[in-house]
Amino acid sequence: MPRTRTENDRDTGEPDPAPSPALAAALERLRLQGAVFLRAEYREPWAYESLPGPVTADLLRPGERRVILFHVIASGRCWVTVGDGERHWASAGDVVVLPYGDQHRMGGTGDAEVVPITTFMDPPPWPQMPVLRLGTGGSLTDVVCGYLHSTDPLFDPELRVFPPAFVVRPPPGPAADWVRANVEFALARTATGGVPALATRLPEMLLVEILRLHLASAPAVEQGWVAALRDPVIAPAMALLHGAPAHRWTVTELARATAVSRSLLDARFREVLGRSPIRYLTEWRMHLARDLLTTTDLAVVVVARRVGYDAEEAFSRAFKRRHGASPRVWRAAAG
């Protein structure tokens, strides 16, 4: 089966990118709470739908409306999708992240009826770390699942810093080794009847590393990209740009939509991010285009339209300025 991926998944295939000082500092300040909470053994064919996001959050952290979910693929191959979005494919060593804890569906490579997760998962409290099992007889996909909670603006669904679901493939080296160590630890604790939730720093450190890999190519991290998420003028504008990158934004329209003056919006972008709103939008589009070219088989002209370009030629020129090669050449080099 071809390895099909969808937008904003990260198949890095490159050395670990060195974190910018601004991004490294922001991730170090993250306050995350949570744990690895279960394992799953899925056998082909299989597919399920999770509980709604607020229900899942209240189940794992009573009183909360939202948690961050992640799935580390220990073996096999599977897909995840949120709402009507495309399927994001993941294989052994990949990490699936649902940054806003949205209701989602997961499944394997074969066709299967989608069943509610409640049909094969007992409700907590769990006397020991549970192992969910779905499917019969086919090839195995082994998954270690976890959750985390954070009030950081990075996980504010209004800002849409992240897509609803994305997949990160750590490149060979320390990052991949760290993911593998987390998986082995969770599997070992399950085999020995470990506690139901491994309340250690491992899940927190794992997610921080995965976010670092995912955000490494985001624009303007050196000039204060993370700080902009906390800025009362810039943050609403960023939410609009991230939510509709293909829209033909002008500074005037963006200022009107965020109820600030055009001059103030432009000045704040230049002060905090070191660039104008439209230049930031262009760089954000190229960030998204890079992921689409890497992780999907969409035609270049389709990628161009997804990120706001009617003409493939104009998109190719903009992409080459940002990444040093045309989209076709860059995609071929990325494999």
Side-chain angles (χ1 to χ4, degrees):
M1 184 171 182
R3 184 179 179 80
T4 304
R5 289 177 173 268
T6 53
E7 60 182 312
N8 282 68
D9 297 352
R10 295 290 308 281
D11 187 355
T12 57
E14 58 192 28
D16 284 356
S20 74
L23 180 56
L27 293 178
E28 287 175 3
R29 290 194 299 269
L30 271 182
R31 293 295 176 265
L32 298 164
Q33 298 176 323
V36 174
F37 66 100
L38 59 82
R39 264 191 59 214
E41 295 178 354
Y42 302 127
R43 291 194 174 275
E44 294 291 343
W46 63 275
Y48 76 87
E49 183 173 52
S50 75
L51 294 166
V55 177
T56 299
D58 187 63
L59 190 71
L60 299 172
R61 287 182 64 89
E64 296 291 348
R65 297 279 298 170
R66 177 168 47 88
V67 292
I68 307 155
L69 301 175
F70 64 88
H71 304 284
V72 185
I73 312 304
S75 67
R77 178 164 165 74
C78 63
W79 54 264
V80 61
T81 185
V82 173
D84 296 328
E86 296 175 333
R87 288 184 175 184
H88 302 245
W89 286 92
S91 298
D94 292 358
V95 181
V96 178
V97 182
L98 295 123
Y100 313 115
D102 294 316
Q103 185 173 31
H104 58 281
R105 296 183 298 280
M106 288 187 73
T109 58
D111 292 332
E113 178 185 359
V114 178
V115 300
I117 194 171
T118 51
T119 61
F120 60 94
M121 181 185 77
D122 294 329
W126 297 306
Q128 63 183 30
M129 185 177 178
V131 180
L132 306 188
R133 293 182 173 90
L134 178 63
T136 57
S139 59
L140 173 68
T141 296
D142 209 341
V143 182
V144 176
C145 310
Y147 79 92
L148 291 141
H149 177 259
S150 177
T151 58
D152 193 277
L154 276 175
F155 304 106
D156 183 344
E158 297 299 321
L159 293 179
R160 288 294 155 187
V161 174
F162 306 105
F166 61 92
V167 178
V168 174
R169 162 160 288 189
D177 293 343
W178 180 243
V179 172
R180 186 163 50 251
N182 273 265
V183 171
E184 291 174 353
F185 180 78
L187 296 180
R189 290 299 294 266
T190 304
T192 58
V195 294
L198 304 178
T200 73
R201 290 296 306 277
L202 283 178
E204 301 166 33
M205 297 168 72
L206 170 64
L207 185 63
V208 166
E209 178 63 16
I210 293 302
L211 294 180
R212 183 185 70 79
L213 292 170
H214 180 75
L215 292 172
S217 63
V221 291
E222 288 289 359
Q223 287 75 25
W225 183 81
V226 177
L229 300 176
R230 297 173 169 82
D231 187 277
V233 174
I234 300 176
M238 289 178 68
L240 292 173
L241 297 178
H242 291 178
H247 183 73
R248 294 184 179 184
W249 292 104
T250 64
V251 178
T252 299
E253 181 185 11
L254 198 59
R256 186 184 304 116
T258 55
V260 299
S261 71
R262 184 184 185 281
S263 59
L264 174 60
L265 184 65
D266 186 75
R268 288 301 293 163
F269 262 82
R270 293 178 186 276
E271 179 182 348
V272 178
L273 292 173
R275 61 211 65 205
S276 69
I278 300 307
R279 182 184 169 192
Y280 175 83
L281 173 60
T282 299
E283 293 186 1
W284 185 255
R285 286 170 168 172
M286 294 304 103
H287 172 64
L288 298 179
R290 180 176 184 261
D291 281 346
L292 285 169
L293 291 167
T294 304
T295 63
T296 76
D297 57 1
L298 294 174
V300 172
V301 66
V302 177
V303 173
R305 290 170 182 162
R306 289 280 186 93
V307 298
Y309 290 83
D310 291 334
E312 182 180 340
E313 294 78 9
F315 167 66
S316 295
R317 288 194 298 270
F319 189 89
K320 187 172 183 178
R321 283 195 299 270
R322 176 67 175 174
H323 295 296
S326 71
R328 297 182 191 279
V329 172
W330 192 92
R331 172 180 263 175

